Each structure stands twice: as structure tokens, then as C-alpha cells.
Amino acid sequence: MKELLSRLNEKLIELAPQLAHVITEVQNERYPEMKSFESELYPARIELVKIYANSLIQNDEQRVNTMREWGEEAGANFAKIPTITLDMMLREVPNYRNILGTVIKHDAIEYGVGPDDMYEIISILDSALNDITYFFSVPFVRHEREMLKLSKSIVTELSVPIVSITDETGILPLVGTIDHDRAMILQERTLSNASERQLKNLIIDLSGLQTTDTYVAQQLFNLFDALSLLGIQPIVSGISPAIAQTLVHLGLTFGRINSFATLKQALAYIE
């Protein structure tokens, strides 16, 4: 068995460039955008075929360590290419299984390999394929999470814009939802910007706010109190029937804070 695995290893390494070429053509036909990165993908595919070939003559520990090292490094590199997705790369896995399996099957028949030995060989290949898939996917998922976190941070920061109407009056339109992270940024950036602009009035427009619950109301009240301490008059506009009903249902009220149904009414009040 050991001698057979050694022969299969040598055969697959010898055929690595041709097998990688076949896989490249299949993937380019399936995803034409991959052609632009063929100079990077083709050498990686040759290397991967050789890694699968070497897995046949490695013990379990060596095999897993090799798969982890290659998968994490390659996954991290390809995850940075915007047009290449994890889905594209994972669609290659069946190609390796089918193409390498065909070579192994052909040689196994030639060498007169029995069903039990054939099963063991295919099991080794499947184990290597599964390990590569896992270790290659981890950096992709990590990269996607980092990009999502970065995008969320950017969107959150941009979602606290104060628009100056006059030297003393500004408008803060709130759009979407307010979660814990956005509430923290809302407090910090609103107070900082309003103070820097030396505003006397800040209209907080709620017409674009998607939800109003106890948490959102409490964050708004905290913002109102902080603005008042800075000598800035908070004014609320965009009180829709839905928001009004929600506040009444929750037993909440803006109290001494002037509130209006429309931004026009709020501006008229200041004038």
C-alpha cells in the first residue's frame, strides 16, 4: 500500500500543471471574471494539486498541518481580491475531487488495487479536500466580517450629519435604526459638532427613524439633556402618528422639549 501511494504521489505531481490547466479552463468558463487573475490562480492550483498528491504519503498530523498552512495563507491572499468570492473558490473543490479521483482510479485499476485499498486512498483524498476547504474558508469569513464591521462603522459615522441652517441653528436628521454602537457615536459626534459650530438651536428630525422604542427614546432624552447642559436648545421635528402612538403606548413624553410634526413647523418656531 505504501508503495502504491508513493507511485500515485509521483504521478499526480508529474501531472500537476496539466490538471491545474483543466481546472483553470473549467473555472474560467464558469466565472469569466476569473480570467483576469489567471496568472495568480494557475500557479496556486498547481501547488494545490501537489499538496493533495503529498497528502497521500503523509500521516494525519502532517496532512492537517500542511492543509492549515496552505489554506490560511492562500485564503488570506485571495480574500483581498474584490472580484473573487468564497463561493467561486469553493466551486473548485468538486473539480479537484473528480479530476484527481479519475487519475487515481485509472492507476488503481492498472495496479490491480482492491476495493478496500481503493476506499482508503479516496478517504485520504476526501479528508485532505475537507481540511483545505475549512482552512481556506476561515480567512475569507474573517475578511468579510472585518469589511462588514468597517462598512458599518463608516455608515454609522455618516449617519450623524448636522446640517447648518443659520449660524445659530442646525438640523440633525436621524435615519434608519439606533442600536448601541450608533447611540454612542450619536452622543459623541452630535455634542462635539454642535459645540464646535456654536449652535444655539439643534433640530433633531425623526421623520426618517424606522423604530421608536424605550431604548431609542432613552437615548434621545440623554442627548436632549446633554445638549441643554451645553446651552443648546434641542427641538424635535418629524413626529409622525406612528411615533406619537408609540410614545403614548410606552408612557413617554418629550416633556419640556418643543416637538413638532414637521420640520417646517420647527423652523417657523425658531424664526
Side-chain angles (χ1 to χ4, degrees):
M1 184 63 174
K2 186 176 181 180
E3 181 181 353
L4 172 60
L5 292 175
S6 179
R7 289 180 181 178
L8 290 174
N9 165 256
E10 294 174 359
K11 182 66 173 293
L12 291 174
I13 289 178
E14 179 184 350
L15 294 176
Q18 295 96 307
L19 299 180
H21 177 71
V22 174
I23 292 171
T24 297
E25 287 193 332
V26 171
Q27 282 295 93
N28 286 349
E29 183 177 355
R30 181 180 292 148
Y31 301 108
E33 57 269 37
M34 277 190 161
K35 292 182 180 180
S36 303
F37 304 99
E38 188 171 321
S39 60
E40 299 172 58
L41 292 170
Y42 178 63
R45 287 167 179 147
I46 294 177
E47 183 181 3
L48 184 54
V49 171
K50 292 180 179 179
I51 287 175
Y52 285 136
N54 289 331
S55 72
L56 298 175
I57 58 174
Q58 293 174 326
N59 59 42
D60 291 342
E61 183 178 356
Q62 292 173 328
R63 186 182 306 117
V64 171
N65 288 336
T66 300
M67 301 302 149
R68 179 187 293 108
E69 182 179 349
W70 189 90
E72 291 181 349
E73 181 179 355
N77 291 334
F78 288 119
K80 297 175 183 177
I81 302 177
T83 55
I84 292 183
T85 65
L86 180 58
D87 174 69
M88 292 178 179
M89 301 305 293
L90 292 184
R91 286 292 297 275
E92 288 197 18
V93 175
N95 296 335
Y96 288 98
R97 178 176 283 109
N98 295 335
I99 293 174
L100 271 64
T102 298
V103 174
I104 290 174
K105 178 182 177 182
H106 179 272
D107 281 27
I109 293 174
E110 182 179 338
Y111 298 141
V113 176
D116 291 342
D117 288 340
M118 186 64 186
Y119 177 81
E120 183 177 345
I121 295 171
I122 296 302
S123 295
I124 294 174
L125 178 61
D126 281 341
S127 177
L129 285 161
N130 292 336
D131 287 339
I132 278 288
T133 300
Y134 172 75
F135 292 120
F136 184 86
S137 300
V138 170
F140 261 90
V141 174
R142 188 185 304 122
H143 180 74
E144 289 297 322
R145 286 178 177 173
E146 291 173 354
M147 292 298 100
L148 181 60
K149 184 178 180 180
L150 178 61
S151 299
K152 183 178 180 180
S153 176
I154 294 174
V155 170
T156 301
E157 290 194 26
L158 293 175
S159 65
V160 191
I162 292 181
V163 180
S164 294
I165 300 301
T166 66
D167 291 339
E168 298 182 346
T169 301
I171 300 175
L172 172 62
L174 296 182
V175 179
T177 60
I178 297 179
D179 55 17
H180 178 270
D181 293 338
R182 188 180 179 191
M184 297 295 292
I185 295 177
L186 177 64
Q187 293 277 354
E188 180 182 346
R189 292 181 63 84
T190 299
L191 296 177
S192 175
N193 289 348
S195 180
E196 289 176 1
R197 297 168 189 246
Q198 299 182 335
L199 298 178
K200 291 186 177 180
N201 307 295
L202 180 62
I203 302 173
I204 296 92
D205 186 72
L206 309 180
S207 57
L209 204 60
Q210 291 183 359
T211 59
T212 306
D213 53 23
T214 305
Y215 177 78
V216 173
Q218 185 58 55
Q219 299 308 312
L220 291 175
F221 293 150
N222 292 341
L223 178 60
F224 299 157
D225 290 340
L227 287 170
S228 298
L229 289 175
L230 293 175
I232 302 171
Q233 177 185 204
I235 300 169
V236 180
S237 69
I239 304 295
S240 66
I243 292 178
Q245 289 177 0
T246 300
L247 293 174
V248 171
H249 178 71
L250 295 173
L252 302 173
T253 174
F254 287 124
R256 58 184 175 79
I257 305 299
N258 293 303
S259 58
F260 303 90
T262 66
L263 179 58
K264 181 178 180 181
Q265 292 174 342
L267 291 172
Y269 165 78
I270 293 175
E271 293 175 359

